Amino acid sequence: MTTHLRGVVLPDGEPRDLWVVNGRVRTRPVPGAQTVVDGGFLVPGLVDAHCHVGLGPQGGVELPEAVEQAVTDRDAGTLLIRDCGSPIDTTPLQERLDLPRIIRAGRHIARPKRYLPHIGVEIESDLPTAVAEQAAYGDGWVKLVGDWIDRGVGDLAPLWTDEKLAQAIKVAHDAGAKVTAHVFGEDALPGLINAGIDCIEHGTGLTDDTISLMAARGTALVPTLINIETFPGIADRAAKYPAYANHMRALHARVSTTVASAIEAGVPVYAGTDAGGGIQHGRIVDEIAALHRVGMSAADAIGAASWNAREWLGFPSLTEGAAADIVVYDEDPRENLDVLRSPRMIMLRGRIH
């Protein structure tokens, strides 16, 4: 069916007509199209740039549960997911026309006993080879665990040497893949950024120096603010490691200032919920609201989970020939972010859900 939508299209904010043919946007009239939207605000499908489809509180889940996770995200308006590591193969979900588009990063790469169990690929030293394997397995992204608690030290510590990081990231880039890393603390960041990493996840340990370095290199940040809200609880459960517990509380206490400084410095910042495990799926609007609270304008916070994130990930917004992934709202979400919680219509690949 050929359809027609009329409304205010974001981000430009101008009233426009769009037609949808075979799941693609057309900007010129198509005779015989059925009008399915007449009025309201048309937003390019939302993006969760840090999500774990296929991961549950106890590790990997079966595919039917992974489908439920993806449906929950879709029904919240998330139509594009950068999956930042999953312990199961979610490629069958990519074939489903009713599920969000998923960009897979393969599995986390960590060292033994230096990350959550049963999730990642654990290696002792040959990071470049592991990165090459995950670059081939994923969809253009590789996920490293940059730091984690070192129980011998009793606090967060880097997993990899600067030399290994430089070698591994070059391997990924030579293969056409980008690299991102889980990082909570301060110490792992200089080595990762100087090695040419493309993105930092969480980034709670960013300082003025590493923020400046990221801004200069164009390194992206996905701060997962709703996940950082769990830090005090993590600290409470880590009484055996007081330095680590105190560190996590301190990172949590300053996260708003940290992310605000990154935004002000011009670091590209995108919205990601870290759904899977301890964070429920379908919370992208909570992350958008959190970005707004730390200093992003409402329009930029939406853009961090829509048009800007889509451009970053290589998916155009509502232009000629783009995928017809559209969320329609009755009111302008730039004026009231809560509007994002009540989409009038969700169109994915030109199909209405």
Side-chain angles (χ1 to χ4, degrees):
M1 179 176 69
T2 301
T3 54
H4 166 239
L5 302 86
R6 179 187 298 114
V8 177
V9 179
L10 298 188
D12 60 358
E14 297 296 326
R16 285 167 52 195
D17 291 88
L18 301 176
W19 291 263
V20 176
V21 181
N22 295 328
R24 296 284 171 180
V25 171
R26 296 288 178 257
T27 55
R28 290 177 290 185
V30 178
Q34 177 183 347
T35 298
V36 294
V37 172
D38 190 357
F41 291 78
L42 281 55
V43 177
L46 300 183
V47 179
D48 191 337
H50 185 131
C51 187
H52 301 282
V53 175
L55 176 62
Q58 307 304 318
V61 302
E62 298 296 326
L63 274 180
E65 185 173 345
V67 169
E68 292 177 7
Q69 294 173 346
V71 168
T72 298
D73 289 321
R74 182 202 69 195
D75 291 348
T78 296
L79 305 185
L80 175 62
I81 289 170
R82 185 182 63 138
D83 193 296
C84 275
S86 177
I88 71 168
D89 181 4
T90 56
T91 53
L93 276 63
Q94 294 177 307
E95 301 172 4
R96 293 271 301 260
L97 299 180
D98 59 332
L99 299 181
R101 302 172 194 275
I102 300 176
I103 303 169
R104 297 163 43 256
R107 296 185 66 182
H108 301 70
I109 302 175
R111 290 176 58 196
K113 299 182 180 180
R114 294 297 306 279
Y115 193 55
L116 298 168
H118 314 303
I119 292 178
V121 174
E122 296 184 351
I123 62 169
E124 277 292 354
S125 60
D126 194 0
L127 183 61
T129 296
V131 164
E133 291 170 351
Q134 293 306 310
Y137 174 56
D139 300 321
W141 281 90
V142 175
K143 174 70 175 293
L144 305 180
V145 178
D147 71 357
W148 196 252
I149 185 172
D150 183 329
R151 288 164 178 81
V153 175
D155 201 355
L156 294 167
L159 273 68
W160 319 103
T161 66
D162 292 357
E163 180 182 9
K164 286 293 184 185
L165 288 170
Q167 293 170 355
I169 291 172
K170 182 179 185 304
V171 165
H173 288 170
D174 287 348
K178 296 182 178 181
V179 185
T180 193
H182 161 106
V183 193
F184 283 163
E186 298 85 354
D187 294 346
L189 286 163
L192 288 161
I193 300 167
N194 282 317
I197 200 162
D198 301 280
C199 184
I200 295 294
E201 310 298 320
H202 318 301
T204 43
L206 284 167
T207 64
D208 289 345
D209 287 345
T210 46
I211 286 171
S212 295
L213 193 57
M214 287 183 70
R217 289 180 169 270
T219 313
L221 172 66
V222 180
T224 67
L225 290 167
I226 63 173
N227 177 56
I228 308 310
E229 294 171 5
T230 69
F231 277 21
I234 293 172
D236 290 345
R237 295 189 295 273
K240 184 178 178 180
Y241 303 100
Y244 168 72
N246 290 335
H247 197 177
M248 294 295 282
R249 291 189 182 98
L251 293 170
H252 172 263
R254 68 172 188 260
V255 66
S256 294
T257 301
T258 300
V259 178
S261 296
I263 294 168
E264 185 176 357
V267 173
V269 175
Y270 303 104
T273 64
D274 207 358
I279 304 296
Q280 294 295 315
H281 286 263
R283 294 190 60 193
I284 190 61
V285 180
D286 291 335
E287 187 66 21
I288 294 169
L291 287 171
H292 181 46
R293 286 196 298 273
V294 301
M296 271 193 174
S297 69
D300 285 345
I302 299 169
S306 179
W307 49 88
N308 290 332
R310 296 181 74 86
E311 180 180 6
W312 177 54
L313 294 172
F315 287 79
S317 293
L318 304 182
T319 56
E320 178 71 27
D325 298 343
I326 308 169
V327 189
V328 182
Y329 302 95
D330 287 325
E331 301 175 38
D332 189 344
R334 298 170 300 178
E335 300 296 326
N336 178 7
L337 290 176
D338 280 342
V339 169
L340 295 170
R341 302 185 188 278
S342 303
R344 183 205 304 175
M345 189 191 78
I346 294 170
M347 176 179 282
L348 173 60
R349 299 180 176 90
R351 295 170 170 83
I352 297 171
H353 295 276

